[in-house]
Structure formats: structure tokens, C-alpha cells
Amino acid sequence: MSQKHQTLGEFIIEHQSSFKYTSGELSRLINSIRLAAKVVNYEVNKAGLVDILGTAGDTNVQGEDQQKLDVYANEKFIQTLVNRNIVCGIASEEEDSFIAINSNDQNHQNKYIVLMDPLDGSSNIDVNVSVGTIFSIYRRVTPVGTPVQEEDFLQKGSEQVAAGYIIYGTSTMLVYTTGDGVNGFTLNPAIGTFYLSHPRMQFPEHGTIYSVNEGNYIHFPQGIKNYLKYCQMEEGDRPYTSRYIGSLVSDFHRNMIKGGIYLYPTSSKNPNGKLRLLYECNPMAFIAEQANGKASDGFSRIMDITPTELHQRVPFICGSSAMVDKAEDFMRDSQSS
Ligand code: AHG
Ligand code: MN
Ligand code: MN
């Protein structure tokens, strides 16, 4: 990559003033995520060489096996945000409850909270397939200087001030939005700098890729089954092609660039879906909408859901808007018939 690209650091400074709250706090927060991303990237890249593959021997609060890299990424992101004294609270997929920072310091003026999935696509770690990190940023709703409360974290996705992901892929990218479009930055590992490589990312309106774990097919709701049959039917630009990596970040990233739809519906195994509203669905929905795409639970907008618990799961359909509209049509039709 040539040096003519703007660096992420330059981009953050240039765009700081266009953000509606201009204290610089959000810029410093994005900067610390950038730092943690580089640290985790370094570890992910040499994962096969050091003793960091495999399970950590523990399960998280959702009963899932924690991988060593899950734990490592979780620690690094939390450590970076805490050390830089940049947020008042953090919630993570890998933590039982939210973390209140400097909760006894009344002079603590930090306004932002972060929710994250520190390592997305854990099942792919051991086999050298792309994984990611997802983050979501809100302003607290309780008064500054008091300890954060659960209500600060249980905000609708539409209240997000920023969201993004890091993809540790063939190259490492940081993609994020502050509500003014989506921009992607690629890491030059030789000098440890992210450069703006994908300005103003947009989902194509239509696409021809569908991403779903079809192994769960027989357990899917009828509307999803009908939609998948529609994807496979020969007509016009169909049959669509199927691509499923099993890392939401990677499947989403490909679909945003090429045009496609990602589905993780309810099933008898996962009656509420598998993906987490606060750590995965809301941030991806915010990015999708900012990139001309759409995110739905099958019937309504993901970002309009009022969360009731930190680790809440929801069905998730996300991608090119015309494709999500079509999937919703099938869901509605099967409900009414
Ligand atoms: P995580 O690794 O954070 O638990 O998330 C895994 C998620 C998501 O990234 C992926 O799309 C999906 O789970 C894969 O689930 P299946 O293996 O059930 O298809
Ligand atoms: Mn995940
Ligand atoms: Mn995870």
C-alpha cells in the first residue's frame, strides 16, 4: 500500500470536528481501540507458533467454551480502555456483568461506554481462518461522575454514537462508523499503521450471496426455509451462491463489499437465535445502515429493539437492503398463512 493513503490517526483528527459532540473524547476512544487492535492482531498472527490456540478450560456466562484467544483479546481491549482512562464502563461477551470504571471517583468525567465481542468467530481460531473484534459505543444515560448502571448498557442500537469491527484476515482491517458513513482502514504490519483503504463503504443494493449455517436448516422457521429455497431457485440472477465462513465479521465484510445477506435465524437449538444483540447485532446493524444496508430480526429493525438483558440473543438478518426486504417478505407471508 502506498503512503498517499491517509492514516487512521489523521482521519480521526480531520473528522473530529464534524462529530456532534466535539470534546475529543470519542477520538481518544477510537484511538485506544486502534491500539488494542494492533496488539491483538500481533497475537492472532503468530497464534500457531505460541501456546495460544485451543480452549482456556473455562466457559463464559453464556455456557460457551472460552478459547485462549477469547480471553486474551478480552483482557487486551479492557486493559487498553482502562489504562487510558477513556470510558466509564465496559460490557463484554466474555464477562458475566458490566465493568464500572472509577466508580468511586466523582470527578470522573468520562461519558462513554463500550460493549464488545472481543473475539468473534472463535471456532475458526484453531484452523487459521479469519476472526474479528466487534465494538459498540454509547453515551451513558445516568449522570456523569456517578457509577454506571445497567441502564447505561441496555440502550437501543439507534442510540449508538459509533460502532466498528476489526477483521484479522488476509490483511487486518479496522472498519467503523460514527454515524457519517463507513470507512475501512488496512493495517500495514511492517510499520504498524492503519491506512484509509476503503473510504465510504456501501453495500450494493442487491447481491447474489447468502450466508447461513445450512446445517440447521430443518430447525429453521418456515419463512426462512422458503427464503432459502427462493435463493436457490433458477430465475433471473438466481440461484444465488452460498458463502459461510462462520465468523460474523468476515461474512459481513465480504457481503458488504460484494453484495449479500447474512442470516442467523431462530432454530429449535437456539430459540432466540444465537447472536448477541448488544455485542454483535447492534454494532453490525449500525454499520450496515450507515453503508446503505439493512438489519432485521425478520420482522423489524434490529436497532429499534429495547434490550432487556446484557447477553440477550436475537435472530439476525443483515445485508444488502433489497435482499433483507425479500427475506422479511417471506417471514411475513409465512406468519400470515
Ligand atoms: P463468537 O465466536 O463470538 O461466539 O461468535 C460466533 C458467532 C458468529 O461469529 C458466527 O457467525 C456464528 O457464531 C457461527 O455460528 P455457527 O457455528 O452456529 O454457524
Ligand atoms: Mn461473536
Ligand atoms: Mn466472541
Side-chain angles (χ1 to χ4, degrees):
M1 184 179 305
S2 92
Q3 294 286 326
K4 69 179 161 47
H5 290 279
Q6 192 175 30
T7 69
L8 174 54
E10 290 163 357
F11 182 91
I12 290 171
I13 292 166
E14 191 180 303
H15 289 78
Q16 184 167 306
S17 57
S18 62
F19 186 64
K20 59 180 169 177
Y21 315 105
T22 51
S23 68
E25 204 177 318
L26 183 69
S27 301
R28 286 188 291 124
L29 176 46
I30 306 271
N31 261 320
S32 51
I33 288 174
R34 169 182 71 158
L35 174 66
K38 285 195 270 190
V39 174
V40 172
N41 173 65
Y42 179 72
E43 214 57 33
V44 167
N45 267 235
K46 61 184 173 68
L49 297 173
V50 290
D51 182 30
I52 198 150
L53 295 178
T55 60
D58 227 331
T59 53
N60 64 19
V61 67
Q62 300 156 74
E64 298 159 337
D65 278 342
Q66 284 184 315
Q67 306 290 315
K68 287 182 193 163
L69 265 182
D70 279 330
V71 175
Y72 180 85
N74 187 47
E75 277 172 14
K76 284 298 159 201
F77 274 91
I78 291 176
Q79 222 175 58
T80 309
L81 295 171
V82 172
N83 286 352
R84 291 207 163 181
N85 192 16
I86 213 95
V87 290
C88 52
I90 302 171
S92 161
E93 182 185 283
E94 301 301 338
E95 298 286 331
D96 298 1
S97 186
F98 64 84
I99 301 168
I101 295 161
N102 287 347
S103 51
N104 296 321
D105 178 2
Q106 290 173 1
N107 297 321
H108 199 249
Q109 292 301 304
N110 292 348
K111 293 180 287 295
Y112 291 102
I113 59 147
V114 173
L115 297 106
M116 62 177 176
D117 175 358
L119 214 291
D120 173 67
S122 313
S123 67
N124 284 322
I125 296 168
D126 287 357
V127 291
N128 207 355
V129 172
S130 300
V131 292
T133 296
I134 307 172
F135 62 91
S136 169
I137 300 173
Y138 294 80
R139 286 167 75 87
R140 64 182 302 174
V141 290
T142 54
V144 172
T146 63
V148 279
Q149 306 293 329
E150 194 171 55
E151 63 190 285
D152 292 312
F153 297 90
L154 298 184
Q155 299 187 52
K156 287 184 187 176
S158 54
E159 298 298 321
Q160 287 171 104
V161 293
Y165 60 82
I166 297 118
I167 177 167
Y168 311 100
T170 41
S171 56
T172 294
M173 284 187 69
L174 193 156
V175 174
Y176 80 102
T177 181
T178 53
D180 180 26
V182 178
N183 291 285
F185 301 81
T186 301
L187 180 68
N188 179 340
I191 46 177
T193 304
F194 281 102
Y195 289 96
L196 179 61
S197 52
H198 295 62
R200 299 252 149 226
M201 298 180 81
Q202 296 263 297
F203 273 94
E205 180 92 9
H206 290 273
T208 56
I209 297 172
Y210 70 99
S211 316
V212 66
N213 186 342
E214 249 172 317
N216 297 326
Y217 182 85
I218 57 167
H219 305 291
F220 285 158
Q222 194 55 45
I224 296 292
K225 287 181 176 169
N226 295 346
Y227 176 67
L228 295 179
K229 285 296 152 220
Y230 164 87
C231 293
Q232 294 162 356
M233 224 179 291
E234 198 148 345
E235 195 181 338
D237 59 354
R238 289 173 286 134
Y240 297 155
T241 193
S242 165
R243 290 281 183 279
Y244 189 69
I245 297 167
S247 301
L248 170 64
V249 166
S250 316
D251 282 308
F252 178 100
H253 186 73
R254 182 207 48 245
N255 289 348
M256 179 158 64
I257 291 172
K258 297 203 161 179
I261 185 170
Y262 175 95
L263 308 99
Y264 212 110
T266 58
S267 68
S268 40
K269 201 166 81 188
N270 298 299
N272 300 317
K274 178 185 180 193
L275 300 183
R276 273 92 1 169
L277 174 61
L278 297 178
Y279 314 117
E280 293 168 316
C281 304
N282 273 335
M284 292 318 229
F286 189 22
I287 299 165
E289 289 194 8
Q290 284 295 316
N292 201 33
K294 204 174 156 177
S296 162
D297 67 357
F299 300 98
S300 41
R301 186 182 180 225
I302 286 289
M303 291 206 289
D304 284 340
I305 299 173
T306 304
T308 53
E309 51 182 310
L310 275 181
H311 298 292
Q312 184 171 347
R313 297 174 193 261
V314 287
F316 190 56
I317 302 177
C318 178
S320 292
S321 55
M323 298 178 90
V324 176
D325 286 342
K326 195 74 189 171
E328 282 183 325
D329 288 348
F330 276 96
M331 289 300 285
R332 238 187 332 266
D333 290 353
S334 82
Q335 277 304 80
S336 56
S337 62

